[in-house]
Amino acid sequence: QSVLTQPPSVSGAPGQRVNISCTGSSSNIGAGYDVHWYQQLPGTAPKLLMYGNSNRPSGVPDRFSGSKSGTSASLAITGLQAEDEADYYCQSYDSSLSGVVFGGGTKLTVL
Amino acid sequence: EVQLLESGGGLVQPGGSLRLSCAASGFTFSNYAMSWVRQAPGEGLEWVSSISGSSTSTYYADSVKGRFTISRDNSKNTLNLQLNSLSVEDTAVYYCAKVGEYCSSTSCTHYYYYYMDVWGKGTAVTFSS
């Protein structure tokens, strides 16, 4: 059971928008710790997709956006493309565990 | 180009030991905290351990505390992870990752738990029957 909760899967048709939620608690996201997002394409290492809740690293398309509110964060992907099919993970820090925590991951399927 | 390259994975027996290494290039290694993250087959990401740039501070997940030891050699731009008392639950691909810095409008700070902006390709630890 992950400290950060993500839906196991989401799907959408090409061109559509999907949201991936990441729900935490008062000892992590709710305590003000930033949320970061990673994209893992099949058979590859994770890649940083979003940092500090809503900042995109260089090279990440602006179709990806992030937000945080209360004890939750969300990753939005607009204009879905086939190449977006991957696993997505959120990450933060938990003060009760004194460690880095990841969400369980969400598999995005582009229909 | 910023790169991380892990090595040292392989087959091990329960109770055995292994030493993983990660060679870094393309950035000032000593300026950044580094982390190890693992991924069991078909599972999600699990943080394992982190170390500050100067090796002053080390951090471990409860699942590996007392069994794994993280270290770094800044003169060789190398990150290490010593794995002892291994069990089948430690089967995973182990990734090393560079930890990014938190920057406000006036300064930047290195928190070991911040985002991981560069990842290696990983090295696999598996168990022989």
Side-chain angles (χ1 to χ4, degrees), chain A residues 13-59:
Chain A
Q16 284 190 332
R17 171 190 172 117
V18 295
N19 291 292
I20 299 174
S21 62
C22 175
T23 303
S25 66
S26 58
S27 61
N28 41 69
I29 299 175
Y33 294 104
D34 285 346
V35 178
H36 320 293
W37 292 89
Y38 303 89
Q39 177 192 59
Q40 187 175 32
L41 298 171
T44 70
K47 167 193 164 187
L48 179 66
L49 193 66
M50 195 75 56
Y51 68 95
N53 306 315
S54 59
N55 300 291
R56 282 187 310 276
S58 173

Side-chain angles (χ1 to χ4, degrees), chain A residues 13-103:
Chain A
Q16 284 190 332
R17 171 190 172 117
V18 295
N19 291 292
I20 299 174
S21 62
C22 175
T23 303
S25 66
S26 58
S27 61
N28 41 69
I29 299 175
Y33 294 104
D34 285 346
V35 178
H36 320 293
W37 292 89
Y38 303 89
Q39 177 192 59
Q40 187 175 32
L41 298 171
T44 70
K47 167 193 164 187
L48 179 66
L49 193 66
M50 195 75 56
Y51 68 95
N53 306 315
S54 59
N55 300 291
R56 282 187 310 276
S58 173
V60 174
D62 59 7
R63 301 186 294 105
F64 294 88
S65 62
S67 63
K68 183 183 111 168
S69 178
T71 58
S72 295
S74 184
L75 175 72
I77 310 172
T78 58
L80 264 183
Q81 299 180 4
E83 66 203 49
D84 299 333
E85 194 160 280
D87 293 325
Y88 293 83
Y89 295 90
C90 60
Q91 178 237 315
S92 187
Y93 172 78
D94 190 282
S95 57
S96 295
L97 298 173
S98 297
V100 175
V101 289
F102 284 96

Side-chain angles (χ1 to χ4, degrees), chain B residues 1-128:
Chain B
E1 181 189 2
V2 178
Q3 278 193 324
L4 298 172
L5 184 62
E6 302 94 336
S7 61
L11 276 175
V12 65
Q13 292 190 332
S17 298
L18 216 51
R19 184 174 179 85
L20 308 182
S21 293
C22 171
S25 61
F27 65 101
T28 305
F29 182 67
S30 59
N31 284 356
Y32 294 91
M34 297 291 294
S35 291
W36 287 97
V37 175
R38 69 183 180 182
Q39 186 170 34
E43 301 294 324
L45 302 175
E46 179 189 14
W47 171 71
V48 172
S49 180
S50 299
I51 186 168
S52 62
S54 60
S55 301
T56 304
S57 302
T58 57
Y59 311 89
Y60 298 93
D62 286 344
S63 58
V64 307
K65 202 172 294 183
R67 300 188 301 122
F68 292 7
T69 303
I70 192 171
S71 64
R72 63 191 297 162
D73 184 338
N74 287 344
S75 69
K76 297 180 179 178
N77 289 352
T78 301
L79 175 71
N80 302 300
L81 187 67
Q82 178 68 38
L83 289 61
N84 295 333
S85 303
L86 285 163
S87 70
V88 293
E89 287 76 32
D90 297 314
T91 298
V93 173
Y94 286 73
Y95 297 102
C96 75
K98 169 180 169 285
V99 180
E101 52 190 358
Y102 168 78
C103 292
S104 67
S105 57
T106 55
S107 64
C108 290
T109 307
H110 294 269
Y111 296 118
Y112 79 92
Y113 55 79
Y114 217 49
Y115 61 88
M116 300 173 214
D117 58 355
V118 182
W119 295 65
K121 287 181 166 49
T123 187
V125 174
T126 54
F127 283 79
S128 57

